[in-house]
Amino acid sequence: PDGTVKALIEATEKAEIKKYIQTDNYFIADVKLIQMAKVSKTKKINALIRRILIRFEDYAKLNHSLPSDSMVSLNQIKDSEQLANTISSFLILKIDEKQKILENTSIKKILDKILLHLENEIGVLEVEKKIKSRVKRQMEKTQKEYYLNEQMKAIQKELGDSDDISDLIELENKIQNLKLSNEAKEKAKSELKKLKSMSPMSAEATVVRNYLDWILG
């Protein structure tokens, strides 16, 4: 619609471009065909391919941007070079890294490089997943605490306990403003948090309040 023209080009042979020749209407490329080193599917190659497919499945579970049928497509490929090229296209690689894989004429070395990139990418994605989970848990905890505090304030307000709310706010301000050691400040915050969740009339609340008064006195 915007006037852009796209062309899908499928290569039939691997080749190195030696030079470009410009004509009036198009370019001609002078190329040299690259022959891949002949390889038989030895036990080592088969084991390497099996390992790559297992790790790619782990990679696909972590990287949700991959096509859902990518694993099915790979399992149907029998040719080692085609499999290597297809997996390379799914990996998040810089252009120069893809170029190095493409230029290699040893399928064993190509598969080794692909497995290395897979392992590195899986490691990065696993760390990202842990960070997201930790942040999510922290946000949920903060939101829950905020909700409970607001709920407790609303209940106390309905019960006419506005004086108790003022006392809690005063205690909170004291904890923030007093020059306490880090350990004492964290303990005071913990006790105030506990006090906020208690009924002001309970015996335990009285004990906690007296303890806070002693710390902040």
Side-chain angles (χ1 to χ4, degrees):
D2 63 355
T4 301
V5 177
K6 294 182 181 179
L8 176 62
I9 300 171
E10 185 175 348
T12 57
E13 298 285 346
K14 184 181 288 191
E16 179 185 357
I17 296 175
K18 291 298 185 180
K19 65 178 178 178
Y20 288 104
I21 304 165
Q22 185 174 1
T23 68
D24 292 338
N25 299 314
Y26 52 85
F27 283 96
I28 296 175
D30 184 9
V31 301
K32 175 186 176 184
L33 293 182
I34 296 174
Q35 298 297 323
M36 291 291 291
K38 290 184 179 180
V39 60
S40 57
K41 280 201 172 182
T42 62
K43 288 182 180 179
K44 285 185 179 179
I45 294 292
N46 286 334
L48 188 54
I49 290 173
R50 185 180 299 177
R51 178 63 181 170
I52 286 173
L53 289 173
I54 289 171
R55 293 305 277 159
F56 185 85
E57 188 171 7
D58 296 332
Y59 174 68
K61 289 175 182 176
L62 292 166
N63 187 352
H64 301 298
S65 64
L66 288 178
S68 57
D69 61 345
S70 56
M71 199 64 212
V72 176
S73 301
L74 292 177
N75 282 323
Q76 293 174 349
I77 299 174
K78 303 303 180 185
D79 181 72
S80 302
E81 185 181 356
Q82 187 185 355
L83 179 68
N85 290 336
T86 305
I87 292 178
S88 297
S89 69
F90 287 128
L91 296 179
I92 302 172
L93 298 172
K94 294 178 180 177
I95 295 297
D96 60 331
E97 291 172 334
K98 286 187 176 183
Q99 183 69 22
K100 286 176 183 177
I101 291 176
L102 192 65
E103 288 175 355
N104 213 307
T105 58
S106 165
I107 190 63
K108 169 71 167 53
K109 289 181 180 179
I110 290 174
L111 292 172
D112 281 335
K113 285 180 179 294
I114 287 172
L115 182 57
L116 178 62
H117 284 301
L118 264 177
E119 296 289 359
N120 288 339
E121 192 62 24
I122 287 170
V124 172
L125 290 172
E126 284 176 342
V127 170
E128 285 182 355
K129 185 178 178 182
K130 287 178 182 178
I131 292 172
K132 286 179 182 177
S133 297
R134 188 170 68 244
V135 171
K136 184 180 178 183
R137 286 197 303 271
Q138 186 60 43
M139 287 178 65
E140 287 174 349
K141 181 182 176 184
T142 303
Q143 289 170 351
K144 184 179 179 181
E145 288 175 354
Y146 175 79
Y147 172 75
L148 290 174
N149 284 335
E150 291 300 310
Q151 191 177 44
M152 183 59 66
K153 287 177 184 178
I155 291 170
Q156 289 172 339
K157 187 175 181 180
E158 288 295 321
L159 294 173
D161 294 335
S162 57
D163 290 340
D164 293 317
I165 296 173
S166 297
D167 287 344
L168 292 174
I169 293 172
E170 186 179 348
L171 286 171
E172 195 166 6
N173 289 334
K174 279 187 178 180
I175 292 171
Q176 292 297 331
N177 296 326
L178 280 176
K179 291 183 179 179
L180 300 170
S181 66
N182 289 336
E183 186 180 359
K185 181 166 284 191
E186 288 304 315
K187 181 63 177 173
K189 286 181 179 179
S190 174
E191 293 299 313
L192 179 61
K193 181 180 173 182
K194 193 189 300 181
L195 183 62
K196 286 179 178 180
S197 63
M198 296 176 181
S199 168
M201 303 303 293
S202 68
E204 191 179 358
T206 304
V207 173
V208 174
R209 175 59 193 263
N210 290 338
Y211 180 66
L212 280 169
D213 287 338
W214 176 73
I215 293 178
L216 303 172

